[in-house]
């Protein structure tokens, strides 16, 4: 390549001169000469990127487009123009950009209205090349609403139109809106017969179409399961395409189709086409004998397929040594490739990140439910080290996948107690939390929640690393997921915590923020905040201490929640907080002096929901507990308010817990 | 092996053997035999099934509903234990049929004459704590099961043939018993059976209690999940890369063993009371999709063949191919095509055109059944050829006799018989590559050297053509029988004058259609099918009444075309043939091939309807091909030209190579059938 660089300046003027000649000939008054000029240009640009770039710079594109659109041009000339443009599009991404800037897309789409099949095919071929480039905005396909129906109608014309159009569709279907547009224009009915086309290319592109159409799309997926192709159910056609003698690309894409249909609930996860065909096919794709790209796609698709289903996870975990097979994903670039083959090294490097993130994703999915599988994963060679180093990789994708994997494994009590602690995973995790995009933060903070569980040995060192501040800041995030995780982690942290920690949480979070969270639109946030309050308000000294400093606001918040429209769970949690407050020494008074609150308690004792009755009765029981100072006055007051009658009634409750609780409370009066 | 089975058939036929005679001869067969058990019963007595079951041979008659189980030793020699089971079990029969069909579909390359497939556990090759039941498919433990010393195993009846390419069997855990110490795997012959598979050298197993794999070692490696009651465990041996993987409930568990030695037997071992497992060697559909796995390997092997590098030197490959094609065309006397081809590829033809045309003429005569004329023409054009080659002449004469029975030979046709168009409408060109029949051609030395298989293939639909010559339906036949009542009388009268015992015996038997004949017929069927492991399922029905609908369309076929004079001529010719045979024996010594040929031909007369008889295949026009080919080769040899075209030789070499691979344990031969490459 060095040689080339040296040579280039000397050659360039010459090339430019010939290029100019080609362009000049496009302006010849004699149409025959123009045609010959275009044909010569076609032959000159094939495989010659330099020539292509030159012609574009010299303005060949607008002229070619003009000739292509001119109805006075001969069909032959118009076709040759489309061919040359298609050839130019085959060059670099810059070429494509220039072509798109010259409005090649509307011009070619216009060309499709012609009645000449050869011309249409040339236009489609060029369009295909333009649209499959990542630099082309796919939206351009949908600007004119007549385009999609027209493309659908062209599908029947020839094998070539079928191949190009389906390829355009599969590359330009990127959003649910695109899926809907294609679906509404009969994509399924029009493309399904192509799955049994005699041309492999057509079959393959049609299959790709279905995979992008079905992805996370229930409507499409539900329709697909009922489609018949030549009397055979589409799912069976896909199953046949997964046969082991089919090309890998076809097996993989068919497996994707079935995976997407399954995830969209169109196929049950225990259907044999999933359990005995799709899953094994995807596991096979992860094996060493396949291309790195195929292994990445196979692992990602498999992770997606079994994410929600523990049975599939169990089967996959024992299929073809999958767990061990994935360990190989971390061995790129291999030491061998570095020395022997630069090309291979380059290839490996390019895919190394992709491989690692795919493996992490698949491990995460495998281990999301089953304890035995998690154990198997953590026992894989160097697994925890790999996760730890994955957490600090430069690639966000790898970091995210690594933290997902860690999160999945963190659901195991055993792993939290052992490998997580041994490898100090909390350190890179904390580092990751400092400055990361939201999606990483969500996963990392979820994992942190688990690491802060009371039995986790990592809890202490995490506390010492200043995590409270970090979590409090998460509760202020715009993302509900982050707010939940932040408050959840705080809740876990406050569970049976020292006074010092609790005070620190309240101080750091601030009552204002605490009450803001109590009115959070997200129920999860509210629930976890109540949980935090409940954990803070446990053991008598803590209750009195917190209530003495924040009693007023807390009582206000409790009142608000009990008065507002909330789910049973929220109200139960709130009544539990109230019961905890009633357990304090001095804190009791905050309830006893609040008649309104007492009325509320009374109301919930008579509520139709047993859980709420139970929580309210707890509260009363704590208020009238005998051994405490002033219990007599409180008992008297509550009797006056009619609580005793209600307690008597509750002893008759059919719920044994409730009647027991009521009896225990009534005994306080007898003593 | 094939030759010996053929001898058996002869003896059976000649002595009108009874069942005991048949079974006496059976020890010759150490092979598993197969005949589809689907017959419709026009015939008074027909055997509907014959298959190998375990180490015994199972014989079933539709008529008597009697099953005769002849137990034989593993390989040969031993005496026969015969037991008669009344009430044939039709469900069992169905299962065997399914088993045979599945095994042939899975392992088409296996020649079961040489290497029988495992079909059940061996009652002889097991430890005493093992009990077998349900056709030797169910295994239960009957020891104390106190210590590992009480472990017990059983091997299948046969080792896994390499020609399987990929072999698979499944075991269902019926009960895990006390502790569930089941081991499933493989072991070589002679490995101690008082052990679980995997514990010893040349023994491999996957154990249910811990899910570990044991590779010739007392300590296992973590391998897969545990397994227990209700699970189906599969074991797949890949004989191409010598690895093994297991499956559990239809899911592959990944490679368990590598570098496996050849000739391993499916093996199971049990260790505690109550353990019961059932084997499936193909009796039922497998839970795991083994055929899909085999497809992958077939594709891999074929891709390897397709990508095999050919000579680097420019044009060398092409010119060699052209030479082969040209020589093939010349050999088979496609004059015009050969000329045109040689011209366009710029090659010289090594034989005079006239010579080619002569051979073409003779071949046409043979292929249209006009044997008399063919012999005459040969004698004219190539004097001394047949003189120097008495065996060849004898072969031609026997064929002439058959054509006389058929009513196609020139000598009987001119005697006023009907000219059965349907029979001599054979295309003018020979069809030596009309696979799969060429596999069995006697004229092609690379093959097994027997002729009798032709009848099987005569109605196979999937002939391959090298040059696109469409083979016309020369062998379409109706249901034919001796229609005239006085004909048998006539034959009866004729027998008085016949002195030769063999010929007479057939004439007699044609009148007294006795029971024993059926046994011969049956033996015949068995031999035909057993010699060929890859028949397709329908092939045996060629002589069966599935042609009934043809009958109405065609006039009834009659002996020698139905002419009295022709029959007389035929019988006379038969006598001549008999004496020629005796003469030949005196001159040249015994020749079992000739004897066999003659008996076959004569046995046509033993049936009221030769065309629908078990030996009726001889009347098929396709049987003219080997005769034609042998004659052609003999002529070419006198001109110092190769008696076989290089192309056929290459095909033969390839076939031979595959057979050799099978014998030496190269499993890839399973996926490289020569037929796949003859388009």
């Amino acid at each position: 390549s060095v040689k080339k660089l040296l040579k280039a300046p000397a050659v360039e003027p010459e090339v430019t001169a010939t290029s100019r000649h080609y362009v000049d000939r496009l302006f010849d008054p004699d149409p025959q000469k123009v045609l010959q000029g275009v044909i010569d240009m076609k032959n000159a640009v094939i495989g010659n990127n330099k020539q292509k770039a030159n012609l574009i710079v010299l303005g060949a594109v607008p002229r070619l487009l003009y000739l292509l659109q001119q109805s006075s041009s001969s069909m032959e000339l118009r076709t040759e123009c489309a061919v040359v443009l298609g050839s130019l599009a085959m060059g670099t991404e810059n070429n494509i950009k220039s072509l798109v800037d010259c409005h090649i897309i509307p011009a070619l789409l216009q060309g499709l209205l012609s009645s000449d099949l050869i011309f249409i095919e040339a236009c489609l071929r060029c369009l295909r090349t333009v649209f499959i480039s990542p630099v082309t905005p796919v939206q351009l396909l949908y600007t004119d609403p007549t385009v999609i129906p027209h493309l659908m109608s062209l599908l029947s014309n020839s094998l070539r139109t079928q191949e190009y159009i389906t390829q355009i569709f599969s590359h330009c279907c990127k959003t649910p809106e695109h899926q809907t547009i294609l679906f509404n224009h009969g994509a399924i009915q029009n493309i399904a017969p192509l799955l049994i086309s005699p041309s492999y290319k057509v079959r393959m592109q049609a299959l790709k179409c279905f995979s992008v159409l079905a992805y996370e799309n229930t409507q499409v997926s539900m329709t697909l399961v009922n489609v018949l192709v030549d009397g055979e159910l589409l799912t069976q056609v896909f199953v046949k395409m997964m046969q082991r003698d089919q090309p890998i690309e076809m097996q993989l894409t068919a497996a994707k189709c079935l995976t997407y249909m399954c995830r969209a609930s169109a196929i049950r996860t225990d259907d044999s086409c999933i359990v005995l065909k799709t899953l094994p096919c995807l596991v096979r794709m992860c094996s060493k004998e396949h291309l790195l790209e195929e292994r990445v796609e196979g692992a990602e698709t498999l992770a997606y397929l079994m994410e929600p289903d523990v049975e599939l996870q169990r089967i996959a975990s024992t299929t073809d040594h999958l767990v061990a097979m994935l360990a190989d994903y971390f061995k790129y670039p291999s030491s061998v490739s570095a020395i022997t083959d630069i090309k291979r090294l380059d290839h490996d490097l390019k895919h190394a990140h992709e491989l690692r993130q795919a493996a992490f994703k698949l491990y995460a999915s495998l281990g999301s439910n089953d304890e035995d599988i998690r154990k198997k994963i953590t026992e894989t060679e160097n697994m925890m080290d790999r996760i730890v180093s994955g957490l600090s990789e430069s690639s966000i994708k790898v970091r995210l996948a690594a933290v997902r994997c860690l999160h999945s494994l963190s659901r195991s009590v055993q792993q939290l107690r052992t490998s997580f602690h041994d490898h100090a995973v909390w350190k890179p995790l904390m580092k990751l939390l400092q400055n990361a995009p939201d999606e990483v933060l969500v996963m990392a903070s979820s994992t942190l929640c688990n690491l802060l569980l009371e039995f986790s040995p990592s809890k202490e060192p995490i506390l010492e690393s200043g995590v409270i501040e970090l979590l409090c800041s998460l509760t202020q995030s715009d993302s509900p997921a982050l707010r939940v995780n932040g408050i959840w982690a705080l809740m876990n942290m406050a569970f049976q915590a020292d006074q010092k920690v609790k005070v620190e949480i309240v101080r750091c979070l601030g009552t204002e923020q605490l009450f803001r969270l109590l009115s959070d639109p997200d129920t999860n946030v509210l629930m976890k905040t109540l949980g935090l309050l409940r954990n803070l308000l446990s053991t008598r000294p803590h209750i009195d201490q917190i209530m003495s400093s924040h009693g007023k606001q807390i009582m206000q918040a409790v009142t608000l929640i009990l008065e507002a429209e909330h789910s049973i769970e929220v109200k139960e949690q709130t009544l539990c907080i109230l019961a905890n407050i009633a357990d304090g020494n001095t804190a009791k008074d905050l309830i006893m002096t609040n008649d309104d609150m007492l009325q509320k308690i009374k109301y919930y004792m008579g509520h139709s929901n047993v859980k709420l009755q139970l929580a309210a009765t707890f509260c009363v029981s704590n208020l009238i507990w005998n051994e405490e100072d002033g219990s007599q006055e409180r008992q008297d007051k509550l009797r006056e308010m009619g609580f005793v009658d209600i307690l008597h009634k509750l002893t008759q409750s059919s719920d044994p817990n409730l009647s027991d609780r009521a009896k225990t409370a009534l005994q306080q009066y007898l003593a | 092996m094939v030759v010996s089975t053929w001898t058996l058939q002869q003896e059976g036929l000649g002595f009108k053997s009874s069942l005991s005679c048949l079974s006496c001869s059976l020890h010759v067969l150490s092979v598993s035999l197969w005949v589809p058990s689907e017959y419709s019963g026009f015939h008074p007595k027909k055997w509907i099934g014959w298959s190998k079951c375990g180490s015994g041979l199972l014989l079933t008659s539709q008529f008597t509903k009697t099953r005769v189980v002849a137990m034989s030793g593993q390989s040969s020699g031993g005496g026969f234990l015969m037991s008669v089971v009344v009430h044939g079990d039709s469900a069992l029969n169905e299962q065997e049929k399914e088993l045979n069909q599945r095994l042939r579909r899975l392992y088409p390359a296996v020649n079961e004459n040489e290497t029988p497939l495992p079909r059940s556990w061996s009652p002889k090759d097991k430890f005493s704590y093992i009990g077998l039941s349900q056709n030797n498919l169910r295994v239960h433990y009957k020891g104390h099961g106190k210590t590992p010393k009480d472990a017990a195993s059983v091997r299948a009846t046969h080792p896994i043939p390499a020609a399987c390419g990929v072999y698979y069997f499944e075991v269902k855990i019926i009960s895990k018993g006390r502790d569930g110490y089941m081991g499933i795997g493989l072991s070589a012959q002679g490995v101690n059976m008082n052990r679980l598979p995997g514990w010893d050298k040349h023994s491999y197993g996957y154990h249910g209690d811990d899910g570990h794999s044991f590779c010739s070692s007392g300590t296992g490696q973590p391998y897969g999940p545990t397994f227990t009651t209700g699970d189906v465990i599969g074991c797949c041996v890949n004989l191409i890369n010598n690895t093994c993987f297991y499956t559990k409930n239809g899911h592959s568990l990944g490679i368990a063993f590598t570098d496996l030695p050849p000739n391993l037997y499916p093996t199971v071992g049990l260790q505690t009371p109550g353990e019961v497992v059932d084997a499936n060697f193909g009796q039922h559909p497998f839970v795991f999709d083994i055929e899909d796995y085999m497809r992958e390997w077939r594709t891999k092997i074929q891709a390897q063949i397709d990508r095999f590098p050919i000579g680097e030197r420019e044009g060398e490959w092409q010119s060699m191919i052209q030479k082969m094609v040209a020589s093939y065309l010349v050999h088979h006397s496609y004059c015009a095509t050969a000329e045109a081809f040689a011209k366009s590829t710029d090659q010289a033809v090594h034989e005079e055109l006239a010579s080619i045309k002569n051979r073409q003429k003779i071949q046409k005569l043979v292929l249209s059944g006009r044997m008399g004329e063919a012999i005459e023409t040969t004698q004219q054009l190539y004097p001394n050829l047949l003189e120097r080659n008495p065996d060849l002449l004898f072969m031609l004469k026997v064929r002439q006799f058959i054509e006389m029975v058929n009513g196609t030979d020139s000598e009987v046709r001119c005697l006023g018989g009907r000219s059965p168009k349907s029979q001599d409408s054979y295309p003018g060109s020979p069809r030596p590559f009309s696979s799969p029949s060429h596999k069995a051609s006697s004229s092609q030395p690379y093959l097994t050297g027997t002729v009798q298989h032709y009848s099987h293939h005569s109605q196979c639909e999937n002939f391959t053509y090298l040059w696109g010559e469409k083979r016309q339906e020369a062998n379409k036949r109706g249901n034919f029988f001796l229609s005239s009542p006085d004909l048998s009388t006539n034959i009866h009268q004729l027998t008085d004058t016949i002195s030769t015992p063999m010929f007479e015996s057939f004439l007699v038997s044609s009148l007294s259609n006795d029971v024993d004949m059926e046994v011969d017929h049956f033996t015949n069927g068995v031999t035909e099918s057993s010699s060929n492991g890859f028949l397709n399922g329908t092939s045996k029905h060629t002589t069966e009444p599935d042609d009934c609908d043809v009958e109405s369309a065609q006039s009834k076929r009659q002996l020698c075309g139905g002419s009295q004079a022709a029959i007389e001529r035929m019988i006379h010719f038969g006598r001549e043939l008999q004496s020629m045979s005796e003469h030949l024996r005196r001159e040249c010594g015994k020749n079992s091939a000739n004897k066999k040929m003659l008996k076959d031909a004569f046995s046509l007369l033993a049936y009221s309807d030769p065309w629908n008889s078990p030996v009726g295949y001889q009347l098929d026009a396709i049987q003219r091909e080997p005769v034609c080919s042998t004659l052609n080769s003999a002529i070419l040899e006198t001109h110092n030209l190769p008696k076989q075209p290089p192309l056929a030789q290459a095909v033969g070499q390839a076939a031979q190579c595959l057979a050799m691979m099978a014998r030496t344990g190269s499993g890839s031969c399973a996926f490289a059938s020569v037929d796949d490459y003859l388009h």
Side-chain angles (χ1 to χ4, degrees), chain A residues 446-638:
Chain A
S446 287
T447 314
L448 197 61
C449 288
N450 291 341
L451 282 165
L452 284 170
L453 285 166
E454 154 295 307
F455 51 80
S456 158
S458 306
K459 185 177 177 177
E460 279 309 310
I462 296 175
L463 272 174
E464 285 158 23
S465 70
V467 73
I468 297 178
E469 210 158 315
L470 183 104
L471 293 173
C472 291
S473 71
L474 284 183
T475 65
Q476 299 182 10
S477 163
D478 289 336
S479 147
L482 281 179
R483 290 202 302 277
V484 171
N485 287 348
I487 197 75
W488 193 336
L490 288 170
M491 180 186 92
N492 284 352
M493 199 188 290
F495 181 75
Q496 293 182 358
D498 294 344
Q499 175 76 355
K500 203 183 101 199
V501 174
K502 288 184 180 173
V503 170
E504 180 63 13
I505 291 174
V506 176
R507 186 199 65 75
C508 195
L509 191 63
T511 41
E512 225 173 285
Q513 174 62 9
L514 189 66
F515 298 128
R516 204 175 297 138
L517 291 169
L518 284 175
S519 53
D520 198 284
D522 188 300
T523 314
N524 273 328
V525 176
L526 176 55
M527 278 297 285
K528 300 302 172 204
T529 312
L530 291 169
L532 170 64
L533 261 181
R534 207 176 144 185
N535 286 348
L536 289 173
L537 295 168
S538 72
T539 73
R540 212 160 277 160
H542 298 176
I543 296 168
D544 289 334
Q545 211 229 335
I546 290 171
M547 289 309 285
S548 68
S549 48
H550 303 95
K552 204 180 150 202
Q553 295 100 315
I554 289 173
M555 288 307 285
Q556 258 177 17
V558 167
T559 312
L560 275 173
I561 292 167
L562 289 180
E563 282 174 358
E565 290 282 318
H566 278 297
S567 66
I568 298 291
E569 285 72 31
V570 168
K571 300 226 162 154
E572 185 196 11
Q573 192 77 317
T574 314
L575 287 168
C576 285
I577 290 169
L578 211 52
N580 280 11
I581 294 170
D583 194 35
N585 282 329
T586 55
K588 278 188 176 67
D589 295 339
L590 285 165
I591 301 176
M592 287 311 293
T593 55
N594 187 339
D595 281 2
D596 178 49
M597 189 57 82
L598 289 172
Q599 287 299 337
K600 285 194 167 65
I601 293 169
K602 205 170 135 189
Y603 165 76
Y604 284 108
M605 283 174 79
H607 198 273
S608 57
N609 186 292
V610 176
K611 281 182 182 170
L612 297 186
Q613 285 179 298
L614 198 61
T617 312
F618 240 112
C619 193
V620 172
S621 176
N622 282 345
L623 287 175
I624 60 178
W625 205 255
N626 257 327
E627 293 136 37
E628 288 156 20
D629 289 345
S631 60
Q632 192 56 51
E633 292 95 72
R634 289 194 292 276
Q635 287 182 1
D636 292 345
K637 177 165 185 185
L638 293 180

Side-chain angles (χ1 to χ4, degrees), chain A residues 50 65-66 163 315 335 397 438 534 565 584 619 635 671:
Chain A
K50 189 91 200 158
L65 280 173
Y66 172 82
E163 182 195 335
I315 293 169
S335 47
K397 242 178 150 180
D438 272 10
R534 207 176 144 185
E565 290 282 318
C619 193
Q635 287 182 1

Side-chain angles (χ1 to χ4, degrees), chain A residues 3 20 101 212 307 309 383 399 550 569 583 633:
Chain A
K3 213 172 167 186
R20 187 172 301 283
D101 290 344
V212 293
E307 206 172 18
D309 189 278
M383 190 61 213
R399 286 209 306 268
H550 303 95
E569 285 72 31
D583 194 35
E633 292 95 72

